[in-house]
Amino acid sequence: SSNEIDEIWDFYKEAGYDDPKATLRSMLDPVTFTKNRILDYGCDKGLILDFFCGSVHDAIEGYGLDINEDAIKDAQKRFPSRLFKVGDGLTIPYPDKHFDVVICIATIKHVRYEDRAAVYAELNRVADYALLIEADEKEQKTQEMMGWTFYNSNFSQEFEDNFATEVKVVREGGDILGLYECKK
């Protein structure tokens, strides 16, 4: 969990991204914003949410959802103009198609395999588009690391199978970055 946005950019550069800010910003280029709302599912301290909101235009409302109550308290202090909630992620406490985009960065790997269908259904329900970034794994395997359990998958196939249409996919630094149209 990073405390400053520059720590995140440094991490992505170490992972092999040439220009992480430009890469991430470009992922939303195909989206026409009509609702002017972004949800960061697994927002941690809100750093990436604030970056994306500032990258699109000033009128974007940013919403964050995370299971970590301490991270949400920190996010609320840092970014009082954004709206943050604590939640388990199995249900998303917003109406259908409330967001233009839900972003989900390095979060799906924390979702247990048996909960994935429910999570994907919720992501599709609340947004028009989903931007997902995960390690570009090719097989399903559980991995323990630094007190975390990662539920890795062939995310490329999993994302294709669980969203309506692939809009833009980039592979960089060992990751898959995918923008998908959500199911209606």
Side-chain angles (χ1 to χ4, degrees):
S1 175
S2 299
N3 288 311
E4 301 298 329
I5 193 72
D6 287 340
E7 293 174 20
I8 294 173
W9 304 137
D10 289 345
F11 171 80
Y12 279 116
K13 286 178 186 172
E14 288 172 21
Y17 283 64
D18 289 330
D19 185 347
K21 283 190 249 188
T23 299
L24 268 62
R25 187 179 296 117
S26 75
M27 292 304 297
L28 294 184
D29 287 347
V31 177
T32 300
F33 283 83
T34 58
K35 300 169 180 118
N36 293 319
R37 290 189 287 265
I38 295 174
L39 171 65
D40 187 349
Y41 177 92
C43 66
D44 193 46
K45 297 174 184 170
L47 299 169
I48 291 285
L49 173 64
D50 190 65
F51 164 76
F52 273 115
C53 290
S55 294
V56 177
H57 58 75
D58 293 338
I60 293 290
E61 295 176 13
Y63 296 72
L65 180 69
D66 202 284
I67 198 168
N68 182 333
E69 190 172 337
D70 290 335
I72 290 296
K73 285 178 185 173
D74 190 359
Q76 290 168 329
K77 286 179 191 162
R78 286 173 187 259
F79 308 108
S81 66
R82 311 285 181 224
L83 303 165
F84 296 96
K85 290 187 179 184
V86 175
D88 66 7
L90 295 176
T91 58
I92 298 175
Y94 294 101
D96 293 359
K97 301 299 179 195
H98 190 67
F99 301 98
D100 294 291
V101 179
V102 57
I103 58 175
C104 197
I105 300 177
T107 302
I108 296 295
K109 70 179 170 232
H110 295 288
V111 177
R112 297 176 305 179
Y113 299 122
E114 61 267 26
D115 294 330
R116 293 257 172 98
V119 167
Y120 287 132
E122 280 292 278
L123 297 175
N124 276 289
R125 182 184 67 76
V126 299
D128 296 328
Y129 294 90
L131 171 59
L132 301 108
I133 302 175
E134 282 297 349
D136 195 9
E137 299 286 344
K138 298 299 178 208
E139 60 186 70
Q140 185 171 311
K141 64 180 178 189
T142 304
Q143 180 183 14
E144 301 287 334
M145 188 186 310
M146 301 183 303
W148 294 95
T149 302
F150 297 125
Y151 300 91
N152 293 311
S153 291
N154 179 340
F155 287 113
S156 178
Q157 188 63 56
E158 196 169 298
F159 297 161
E160 277 184 44
D161 291 346
N162 285 282
F163 294 94
T165 307
E166 179 183 296
V167 177
K168 179 178 182 179
V169 172
V170 172
R171 286 180 167 75
E172 192 168 348
D175 290 343
I176 178 171
L177 299 83
L179 178 67
Y180 300 87
E181 191 174 329
C182 291
K183 294 177 180 176
K184 303 292 179 212

